[in-house]
Amino acid sequence: MAQAFRLGLLLALLLPVVGALMPGTVVRLNEAMLSYVSQIGTAPLQQALRVTVPYFLDWNEEVHQPTRIQILNVHVPHFHLKFIADFGVRMLVAANFTFKVFRVPEPLKLVLPVVLLADAQVAQGSIRTPVVSISACFALFNSAAVLDGSTSVAPGLLVLVQNHIKAVLRNKLCLSISNLVQGLNVHLGTLIGLNPVGPESQIRYSMTSAPNITKDYISLDISAILFLLGKPIVLPVDATHFVLPPNVGADGAMATVGLSQDLFDSALLLLQKAGALNLDITGQLKSEDNLLNTSVLGQLIPEVARRFPEPMPVTLKVRLGATPVATLRTNNATLQLQPFVEVQAVTSNSAFQSLFSFDVVVNLDLQLSVSKVKLQGTTSVLGDIQLTVRSSNVGFVDTNQMRPLMDTVFKRPLLDHLNALLGMGITLPSMVNLYYINPEVFVYEGYVVISSGLLYQR
């Protein structure tokens, strides 16, 4: 049963691992995936085909003698899978069964070559997950061969034994494959489960339509819905239907995953609504290299020096009221943040006093990568930070004088905070024990493509 369960999971690699409403994602599983499944699925398939053969009634001296028959070994030298356009997957298996017939006085060993043909239809289930069913299955038999060293057997008896074995296998082998597929559907149902994004946020994938199957791949449209505190993140403008163009990504990849602009917009809106992008930047007053204090500000703004004759700590309260904007261009991904930054100083009675505030524009280069099942990002600042004074309680603030200080005290904490968030990553379409390996990320106009191998690990 454990081996059958394992093979069922392996067969899942053939199938769509999720589906798409809006914002859109597309997953294509290519021919290279079928070759991988054939390779790693051979051993568990051999175990699953070792079915039980009931006793054979041997007519001996006008008395029925029950004779035990046991499968000693199943060897699969050939296991081939291919896509059937507009339908699913076809399986072709060549197997050699070795039997031991416990006859008296000497046992008999036989080898029976069998060819199995099975067609698996892939459709969309009622809970928006892939559903697989065996629509046709055939077992084709060659003649059994008596192994060297076995005792001679009457041709008539050999025919009867073969007929008995073939009758059993004809039903049981196809039933074993069907049972594997039925067990697989239970596990595919878990694809609609929530995957954590942050402490209070999740992402859920599900199919939105029947899979598109060609002779070269199986493609799934997928909805990627993000949740914050149990409520879905809804874009202010309706998402557009995402269509993954042909011939994108790397040739020969097992999986090609397309991520739409809307998915990035939803993820950034989630971070903004959750307050995850907000931060307070505070310097240590006694630190020798601390520039966040009133003495440093007083050198640039006279009114600050007048109000704070003694050095006092300064805090930058960074708040993002506007949603960050991701821009996807060919071979280039950028991110723009427009935070509101309030500069506060601690007074002698430990209260905070607002000195002035900025509207800030920060342009960032965005580098994307994949680790196991997560899409991650790292950023770096592009060009100068743009500063506009929104308010001031300390008179005139010269942004040209403030920019070098902000570059020093603001950029690095902002990048560290943002990269820590993006480094947590967002779960890509996947299933239990299946990981992306050797991924390549390609940025196109308005979408991102991941070309990757896949690795199944128990």
Side-chain angles (χ1 to χ4, degrees):
M1 181 61 69
Q3 292 292 341
F5 169 77
R6 180 183 175 192
L7 181 60
L9 287 177
L10 292 173
L11 288 173
L13 301 177
L14 303 174
L15 310 171
V17 279
V18 273
L21 277 169
M22 310 283 175
T25 302
V26 174
V27 173
R28 283 183 189 157
L29 298 177
N30 306 310
E31 286 184 300
M33 167 62 89
L34 298 185
S35 298
Y36 176 64
V37 173
S38 299
Q39 175 188 343
I40 65 173
T42 297
L45 175 61
Q46 290 175 157
Q47 183 64 33
L49 294 178
R50 294 187 64 162
V51 298
T52 301
V53 180
Y55 279 70
F56 168 67
L57 294 179
D58 184 5
W59 185 266
N60 185 18
E61 297 182 356
E62 300 182 354
V63 177
H64 284 295
Q65 298 290 337
T67 301
R68 180 186 169 201
I69 299 178
Q70 179 185 2
I71 295 179
L72 297 179
N73 183 54
V74 179
H75 174 58
V76 175
H78 183 76
F79 181 13
H80 179 70
L81 299 158
K82 71 174 184 178
F83 292 116
I84 306 175
D86 301 320
F87 186 79
V89 176
R90 174 164 293 164
M91 174 191 297
L92 171 62
V93 177
N96 293 319
F97 288 75
T98 302
F99 297 90
K100 184 175 183 179
V101 182
F102 292 85
R103 295 182 66 245
V104 177
E106 293 293 336
L108 175 68
K109 288 186 179 179
L110 303 174
V111 174
L112 179 64
V114 180
V115 174
L116 285 169
L117 292 170
D119 288 345
Q121 184 178 17
V122 184
Q124 180 189 23
S126 59
I127 58 173
R128 297 189 181 276
T129 58
V131 173
V132 191
S133 59
I134 297 296
S135 63
C137 180
F138 305 96
L140 307 175
F141 301 94
N142 287 326
S143 298
V146 178
L147 288 179
D148 293 340
S150 296
T151 58
S152 61
V153 59
L157 179 59
L158 182 59
V159 170
L160 293 176
V161 170
Q162 284 193 70
N163 289 342
H164 173 74
I165 291 173
K166 291 176 182 180
V168 172
L169 296 188
R170 186 171 286 110
N171 292 323
K172 286 198 171 186
L173 297 185
C174 286
L175 182 60
S176 294
I177 292 176
S178 181
N179 288 339
L180 288 175
V181 169
Q182 291 303 317
L184 167 63
N185 288 330
V186 176
H187 303 289
L188 291 176
T190 64
L191 295 172
I192 63 171
L194 295 175
N195 292 297
V197 176
E200 299 172 334
S201 55
Q202 302 85 26
I203 187 169
R204 184 179 70 191
Y205 292 106
S206 60
M207 293 176 63
T208 60
S209 60
N212 176 31
I213 306 171
T214 73
K215 65 180 182 62
D216 299 316
Y217 61 78
I218 184 168
S219 180
L220 292 172
D221 287 335
I222 296 167
S223 67
I225 304 176
L226 289 150
F227 294 87
L228 177 62
L229 296 173
K231 296 182 179 179
I233 296 296
V234 180
L235 293 174
V237 179
D238 288 342
T240 57
H241 180 64
F242 174 54
V243 178
L244 182 64
N247 304 319
V248 292
D251 293 336
M254 292 186 192
T256 303
V257 181
L259 308 174
S260 68
Q261 174 77 55
D262 293 321
L263 178 60
F264 288 88
D265 293 344
S266 293
L268 292 172
L269 180 58
L270 169 67
L271 292 175
Q272 186 261 325
K273 285 182 172 293
L277 297 169
N278 299 335
L279 74 152
D280 292 344
I281 303 173
T282 304
Q284 299 297 319
L285 186 60
K286 296 182 179 181
S287 174
E288 294 182 358
D289 59 353
N290 173 43
L291 298 178
L292 277 176
N293 60 69
T294 54
S295 293
V296 174
L297 285 180
Q299 298 174 26
L300 304 175
I301 306 172
E303 180 63 19
V304 174
R306 189 188 69 80
R307 292 190 188 183
F308 298 90
E310 297 294 328
M312 298 300 290
V314 169
T315 295
L316 306 182
K317 298 186 74 68
V318 183
R319 300 293 181 265
L320 267 88
T323 304
V325 177
T327 302
L328 303 176
R329 298 285 184 262
T330 301
N331 300 322
N332 182 42
T334 59
L335 194 60
Q336 186 181 81
L337 304 183
Q338 300 182 54
F340 168 73
V341 179
E342 184 179 14
V343 182
Q344 298 180 342
V346 178
T347 62
S348 56
N349 62 0
S350 299
F352 282 96
Q353 179 180 334
S354 177
L355 304 180
F356 53 92
S357 62
F358 289 124
D359 289 321
V360 182
V361 177
V362 185
N363 292 305
L364 302 156
D365 176 67
L366 176 61
Q367 294 293 322
L368 299 170
S369 61
V370 175
S371 177
K372 291 189 175 180
V373 296
K374 289 195 172 184
L375 178 68
Q376 299 172 322
T378 55
T379 60
S380 58
V381 176
L382 292 172
D384 294 329
I385 295 175
Q386 301 174 37
L387 301 176
T388 304
V389 177
R390 178 185 285 195
S391 64
S392 174
N393 296 317
V394 291
F396 176 71
V397 177
D398 189 336
T399 56
N400 290 327
Q401 288 187 327
M402 286 296 301
R403 184 170 288 107
L405 179 62
M406 290 292 286
D407 281 345
T408 303
V409 301
F410 173 72
K411 282 187 1 182
R412 176 47 54 192
L414 176 69
L415 287 177
D416 289 345
H417 179 73
L418 185 58
N419 288 337
L421 285 173
L422 299 180
M424 293 172 59
I426 188 167
T427 302
L428 293 166
S430 64
M431 62 172 294
V432 174
N433 299 328
L434 185 64
Y435 303 98
Y436 294 86
I437 60 169
N438 303 319
E440 296 181 77
V441 180
F442 301 87
V443 181
Y444 295 93
E445 189 79 18
Y447 64 98
V448 169
V449 169
I450 300 165
S451 295
S452 180
L454 294 170
L455 176 66
Y456 174 78
Q457 289 184 325
R458 291 192 64 184

